[in-house]
Amino acid sequence: MGAGSEPRPLSLALVGMGRQGRRHLDAAARLRDSENISLTAVVDCDAACADLAAEGGAEYFGDVSDLPADIDACVVATPTSTHLSVARFLLGRGIDLLVEKPVAASYAQTHALVRLAAHHGRILQVGYLERYHPSFTNTRPDFSAPAEILAERSTRGDSIRTLADLVRELMIHDLDILATWLDCTPLSATWSALREGGRETRGTLELLFAGGHRARLVAESGAHTVVRRTTVKSHDRFWEFEWSPGAAAIQTHAGADDPITAQLRAFVRAVRDRCNPHIDGNSALRAMRLAEKAIHALPTAA
């Protein structure tokens, strides 16, 4: 490369073109010039995604094993059950990864991927989107006294059919937030208001932490309305967090990134600078440790 020449664009692939993958596709388009990204490839088992790839100026592939050798980084947004095999293959290829939440289906699988990324010297960033939400980045409650935390999260989609998946796929956002705020293992975990099977899956999880902090997490799949809200009461003070994209749009300052663009920008810069991302494998392990405690507390095997 000659003196003064521009560095080559970072070659990015998107693996999985579901709802979240398409959001990453839009974010990559927004960052193409400012972060010098080349969206090189789109991977999905559905051949209809070839049109999406073409719209983004990328090549379509039906399997990660077909990816060209010059890929620098991948966003993995496939179903959770495939994360371990997909991420393991890509890390073995020497590719840096942003993996959507949850990183894998269990703590053991997550730990295996964290170790594998370290072994290959690769970036492993985790897609906990709420951490890039203005509500989270601008405000931190005071936990110097016992706090009462209420997290409510629901989705209209009915793809979640088990309570264990309700924890892994929906409640995991709130568990990650709790793990970040409190950074300790709960003393106890109890469930109530459980429903599993059919279109609706729901449950309420109560967690007691050292220092007297109490968290109540209410999650529902197949709900009539979408709710993404957390409230914290402590020291006679009250904090409320709205996590919806609409709330993020209102709170995001003019010219600032929306959460998914901010997340992708952070990933690209971690790849370029070879620095550990702020939300890394250790973040995934902390959240998954809470998730497995919650799953093990279910009254029946899930």
Side-chain angles (χ1 to χ4, degrees), residues 5 45 198 209 250-251 283 292 301:
S5 61
C45 59
F209 292 87
I250 293 171
Q251 297 174 51
S283 297
E292 293 215 336

Side-chain angles (χ1 to χ4, degrees), residues 8-65:
R8 74 171 181 85
L10 185 141
S11 178
L12 180 70
L14 303 181
V15 184
M17 278 291 106
R19 181 177 61 87
Q20 198 69 353
R22 296 178 190 215
R23 295 178 69 194
H24 284 292
L25 185 67
D26 293 339
R30 288 191 287 271
L31 295 178
R32 180 178 287 112
D33 294 331
S34 64
E35 294 296 332
N36 195 20
I37 296 172
S38 172
L39 179 58
T40 303
V42 165
V43 182
D44 196 282
C45 59
D46 183 358
C49 293
D51 292 337
L52 287 173
E55 290 172 12
E59 191 171 357
Y60 166 77
F61 298 94
D63 190 88
V64 290
S65 63

Side-chain angles (χ1 to χ4, degrees), residues 205-220:
L205 174 65
E206 304 268 358
L207 298 172
L208 172 63
F209 292 87
H213 305 302
R214 293 181 179 274
R216 184 169 182 256
L217 281 64
V218 182
E220 181 178 4

Side-chain angles (χ1 to χ4, degrees), residues 11 22 45 58 61 64 66 76 80 98 106 109-110 124 132 151 162 175 212 218 224 228 248 276 296:
S11 178
R22 296 178 190 215
C45 59
F61 298 94
V64 290
D66 299 325
V76 178
T80 300
L98 165 57
S106 69
Q109 289 184 7
T110 304
L124 177 60
Y132 292 93
T162 70
L175 293 172
V218 182
H224 296 295
R228 301 175 187 174
N276 200 43
H296 291 156

